[in-house]
Amino acid sequence: MTTSWLTILGIGEDGVEGLSPLAARLLREAPHVFGAARQLALAAPLIQGATTAWPSPMSEGFSALLARRGQPTLVLASGDPFCFGLGGTLARHLAPGEFLTVPAPSSFALAAGRLGWALQDCSTISFCGRPLEPLRALLQPGARILALSADAATPAAVAALVTGLGFGPSRMVVLDAMGGPREKRWDGVAERFDAVPDALNLVALEVVAGAGAAVLPLAAGLPEEFFDYDGQITKREVRAVTLAALAPRQGELLWDIGCGSGSVAIEWLLRHPSMRAIGLEPKADRAARAARNALALGVPGLRLVEASAPGGLEGLEPPDAVFVGGGGGREGVLEAAWAALRPGGRLVVNAVTIETEAVLLAAHARWGGSLVRLGVERLDRVGAMHGYRPAMTVVQYGVEKPAGSGGIRSPRRGGPGGAAPLLATAGLGLRPSADAASLVAVVRRAEGLSGCRVVSLSVPDFRDLPVVAEAAERLGVPMQLVSRARLMAVQDRCPTKSEAAQRAIGIASVAEGCALAEGGALLLKRIDGEGVSCALAAVEEPA
């Protein structure tokens, strides 16, 4: 059982006076305290040990913190460390048993108490290091929103955004430095905002739609007028059916091939804040238009790649779903999408030409699935009268990739009806040129080659931690640090040696060594990617 060496302690603007007896004792007895300069000042009356203020960026200070592994250490965090706070970031570097968390009330809890709002009925969002645009999807009439501000300028920016979208009559409250001696509040409406907030503030909104407000419907199939497009767009009725066929699930990644205006990818992202999407669009003007649409509709995370399929798909993170809205008849496109698709993933292709329809018939014969013909007719003028004008008929092909069909397993599921994959830790060896995308790509390739599911990353404690931490965040797994001594202890069990690594750092097998140091039997020998190597070792299923 791992012993907790790190205490993550929440502190509010009321400083040490607001701490519980347990929190005060832990702070007083801590031999070393890490925190932001403001937090260290708040806790100063009780600190008796050494202190370290976080540098900027904070991630550059993690090496010093993790170097104290095994020694009693305390980290100060604002309020509840695991509510848009430091706790989640630190947990990616630690095993669950390594830390003890003692939270203080979160800013959201303090605000809900002051406003008399039930917290479970509020939407919460943070603008600290994040864009404002995701607020767009939360602007529903009657909604209550609590938002953490990045700085003193955030409330004015929020008021301008809300007013510009037609929600100017919304009630707006700005709560400054809650719990401390500088606490104050401003009450009013967004369209008449005139406060001078403190740098530490929270914005509360009670949404009221003004005349002509652009309310985003919660159903799939947004009207075309919500998008800027050049005539080429998946019509709303067909788009609604397409989203149903893609069957979005929390946290999944979509490839939108032939992205165009981005309408399908954008609606995929609107289903849940955890959704991700990559749009492949060869025309620069259309890619730029899709990016503008994503920003305007509150999903700035849409990633655009200016390239054509199948070549432009190479190196992208494997998807959970693929939509082909353009170019489905091009040679190799469906094959490349199918090969990259995770087991249990969905491939949906829309076609309006008989040439592409023939390709879909062949795909249906090879992979199974379903073929549906969609026809939409809209009322239009016919001279002085009216009639229904048909749009081009769309043939839609949809298929789910079965488990055991090859490709890369999803880290979230073993595939419908399939046995759960073996769990593995990925040992990584990094060169200076490595970046987070390269790390993610090599781990996903290792999963595909082994049929295993990677549940943690194991890396030397003397390498570039921010790069690995970013990769771990993208993969949704924790990061574990391996000391030089532990690496040396397993070198005789490593089948793959590198003379270059031996000369450079004195260790002949880094990736396999990291995997074996944290795991059991070696499942996959070292494979190489761009600036990174990877090996897998078995771990036991957690209880």
Side-chain angles (χ1 to χ4, degrees):
M1 182 176 178
T2 306
T3 302
S4 299
W5 60 273
L6 181 66
T7 298
I8 307 173
L9 191 147
I11 190 168
E13 283 299 290
D14 49 0
V16 296
E17 293 182 1
L19 297 179
S20 67
L22 170 63
R25 178 173 62 82
L26 290 170
L27 180 58
R28 190 181 300 111
E29 295 176 356
H32 200 119
V33 180
F34 286 73
R38 181 178 64 83
Q39 294 159 348
L40 291 172
L42 288 168
L46 291 181
I47 295 177
Q48 298 181 12
T51 61
T52 297
W54 292 120
S56 182
M58 184 188 298
S59 59
E60 293 182 358
F62 289 169
S63 296
L65 173 65
L66 296 171
R68 292 186 52 81
R69 192 178 235 118
Q71 305 173 64
T73 307
L74 186 142
V75 170
L76 292 170
S78 295
D80 184 344
F82 282 88
C83 182
F84 289 105
L86 180 60
T89 302
L90 289 178
R92 290 194 290 272
H93 299 265
L94 303 164
E98 288 190 88
F99 60 90
L100 168 70
T101 305
V102 183
S106 69
S107 295
F108 295 139
L110 294 174
R114 283 156 174 74
L115 295 166
W117 294 358
L119 189 52
Q120 72 271 14
D121 295 332
C122 300
S123 296
T124 58
I125 190 170
S126 173
F127 299 131
C128 299
R130 299 172 173 89
L132 294 181
E133 284 77 17
L135 179 62
R136 173 76 172 90
L138 302 179
L139 296 176
Q140 298 288 324
R144 287 173 167 175
I145 302 168
L146 300 175
L148 296 175
S149 293
D151 51 35
T154 302
V158 168
L161 176 66
V162 169
T163 302
L165 292 169
F167 297 91
S170 297
R171 179 191 175 195
M172 183 171 175
V173 181
V174 181
L175 298 162
D176 289 352
M178 287 181 289
R182 306 190 322 276
E183 179 170 352
K184 67 179 190 294
R185 66 185 280 170
W186 177 91
D187 288 79
V189 294
E191 60 193 2
R192 291 196 294 274
F193 177 78
D194 61 358
V196 182
D198 186 89
L200 187 67
N201 71 81
L202 178 145
V203 175
L205 291 169
E206 195 163 27
V207 181
V208 177
V215 180
L216 281 180
L218 297 178
L222 295 178
E224 282 93 85
E225 55 263 29
F226 277 67
F227 301 91
D228 176 22
Y229 62 101
D230 58 3
Q232 297 294 317
I233 189 172
T234 303
K235 298 298 187 287
R236 64 178 300 187
E237 297 87 355
V238 175
R239 198 179 331 118
V241 175
T242 299
L243 265 293
L246 287 168
R249 301 166 191 171
Q250 181 172 322
E252 288 190 326
L253 171 67
L254 171 74
W255 282 1
D256 186 347
I257 299 174
C259 188
S261 65
S263 62
V264 170
I266 288 168
E267 293 222 41
W268 168 278
L269 292 170
L270 284 170
R271 304 279 65 80
H272 192 271
S274 67
M275 308 305 287
R276 298 176 298 140
I278 300 173
L280 201 73
E281 175 52 57
K283 296 185 177 180
D285 59 334
R286 285 185 173 176
R289 186 178 292 112
R292 291 195 300 271
N293 283 333
L295 196 65
L297 291 169
V299 286
L302 173 60
R303 177 185 168 192
L304 277 303
V305 177
E306 289 184 27
S308 297
L313 303 176
E314 188 173 345
L316 298 181
E317 181 182 345
D320 300 289
V322 178
F323 171 61
V324 184
R330 190 178 300 117
E331 185 176 355
V333 171
L334 297 193
E335 290 76 8
W338 183 256
L341 189 64
R342 301 184 191 280
R346 287 78 61 204
L347 171 65
V348 177
V349 189
N350 288 353
V352 294
T353 67
I354 57 173
E355 289 79 8
T356 304
E357 185 175 343
V359 173
L360 299 188
L361 288 169
H364 181 268
R366 187 186 326 163
W367 299 321
S370 63
L371 282 165
V372 178
R373 182 166 288 171
L374 305 172
V376 176
E377 300 181 6
R378 292 180 176 177
L379 187 68
D380 199 2
R381 293 191 67 86
V382 182
M385 294 181 285
H386 294 82
Y388 290 96
R389 193 176 301 280
M392 292 188 71
T393 299
V394 174
V395 173
Q396 184 175 93
Y397 172 58
V399 60
E400 180 174 316
K401 188 172 183 176
S405 59
I408 298 176
R409 291 182 181 270
S410 169
R412 291 175 288 277
R413 64 187 71 83
L422 290 173
L423 303 183
T425 185
L428 299 175
L430 285 72
R431 291 182 283 280
S433 59
D435 57 23
S438 300
L439 268 65
V440 170
V442 77
V443 169
R444 292 307 193 203
R445 184 155 62 90
E447 284 184 317
L449 292 170
S450 65
C452 298
R453 173 186 166 195
V454 169
V455 294
S456 64
L457 304 184
S458 302
V459 294
D461 62 5
F462 48 83
R463 283 306 190 192
D464 186 0
L465 296 179
V467 169
V468 184
E470 182 182 349
E473 182 173 5
R474 293 190 192 181
L475 292 163
V477 300
M479 181 180 76
Q480 303 175 96
L481 300 181
V482 181
S483 67
R484 181 179 292 271
R486 294 173 66 204
L487 275 173
M488 295 300 295
V490 296
Q491 287 300 294
D492 59 343
R493 295 168 54 198
C494 300
T496 310
K497 310 288 186 181
S498 167
E499 292 183 5
Q502 179 69 50
R503 289 193 301 269
I505 60 174
I507 300 173
S509 186
V510 177
E512 290 174 352
C514 285
L516 289 168
E518 292 292 343
L522 196 66
L523 299 174
L524 180 70
K525 294 181 182 180
R526 189 191 80 188
I527 61 172
D528 294 321
E530 294 184 14
V532 61
S533 57
C534 177
L536 302 185
V539 299
E540 294 182 358
E541 179 80 58

